[in-house]
Amino acid sequence: MRASGLKRRALLQGGSIALLLGIHEIAQGATIVAVRVWPASDYTRVTIESDGRLNSQQLVVGSPPRLAVDINGIDLNPALRELVGKIKPDDPYINGLRVGQFAPGVVRIVFDLKQAVAPQVFSLAPVAAYKDRLVLDLYPQQAADPLESLIAERLRDAPKTAVAGAAPSSGDTPAPSRPGAEAADPLGDLMAQQSTRAAPPVSVTQANRPSAPVGPLPIPMPPPAVSAPPPPATSGRGVATASQTDRIIIVALDPGHGGEDPGAMGPNGTREKDIVLQIAHRLRERINASSVNGNPMRAFLTRDADFFVPLGVRVQKARRVQADLFVSIHADAFTTPEAKGASVFALSQGGASSSAARWLANKENQADKVGGVNVGNHEAQVQRALLDMSTTAQINDSLKLGGAMLGEIRGIGARLHKAQVEQAGFAVLKAPDIPSVLVETAFISNPEEEAKLRSTAYQEDLADALMRGIQRYFAQNPPLARSRQL
């Protein structure tokens, strides 16, 4: 009798709770807690975060291009209405959107698009500070080739004689070649072909942010194996040959994290993704104003704005432009605020050089889970990138680059966390043919170092140090005068 009374009391209490919650809340399958939009030239991401997994269907409509997304099991709420105000005029893909209650328990979002897109819609399980997320990635139907931005920049900045058929001056010194290296640079031929087209100049700030998709680049054939140089162009303008163009030294800069992945957070709210992007922009300015043995340098950023790039895609981008170096920029964090100092890391084929290096590599390698990767579509290419076996020569060159940078960072009076280059299995350093390092600029979790990272003066000093490290590396290890296989 007493047991049945307790059961009846529990049922009554449960019923009281149900009455307090109300019918509307009980009917809800999930509640929207936040919406975010990340516009970028590569793609625009829309994230809908909720306290439960969302089910959706989507339909692409053309002329004019639109994307309709139906989300099941929810009702329209103020958080979803906020999406309308989050679309910015400069978004490359979204012109605007409408959101409404399409049917009981079904919310429809209609995106009015600026161009045709190839949407990817997928769900992410809770991770880090995030709950369930429904992700809509709007990619262009024809993705832009990263080489296009480099060519556009170089054509804007290069002297006309470098691409219009005039022979180089006697003062120009070609990059030293190593035994067995090809002297031709088909990238020069491709640039020369581009220079004959009537096209408006592209500014440096726009170079990595094309406003429309770019078609596939023409693929130049390897130069014929002849001992005599190719004959000069006979027309007044003509097409420059490889011998009449310069060898561009490309440095890939990789600002860590971005978009959905803020990276480490400082005690005063400083986000790693913002700081490292600022430092990368400063370093890009220095690289673009420099040369190696008379050959111009050009920086390529894996991301030039606040959006997320998967680890494998960062490696692929650097390999696509056939970068001579890869520099990933980060700001470290630890569980206690006492840790401080800058570090430089190279890849390790075996174990990590220290437990701290192993811990950091494991943390950085989790970026894809936080940032959000559509595993179903990206798994094959990401796995290929992560399984690339880096050569011993690549790791040795990476250690040399890291040593040069570490010495220059010490030279600006910055504290070093470790006096030597450390090694661990960082996924983002696994380009088998590019010397690659990861620079932890400071511990953003340390209040003193967080303040330094926010300082323009310290960012400038750090960019100067990294630039001197790159120059010092090239002085001892001249870049190959090689053929670029595009």
Side-chain angles (χ1 to χ4, degrees), residues 17-33:
I17 293 172
L19 289 172
L20 289 172
L21 287 172
I23 297 174
H24 179 72
E25 285 79 1
I26 295 174
Q28 290 281 12
T31 301
I32 307 301
V33 297

Side-chain angles (χ1 to χ4, degrees), residues 36-50:
R36 294 177 292 275
V37 181
W38 308 98
S41 60
D42 285 30
Y43 70 105
T44 288
R45 167 168 289 189
V46 178
T47 304
I48 301 173
E49 187 178 358
S50 61

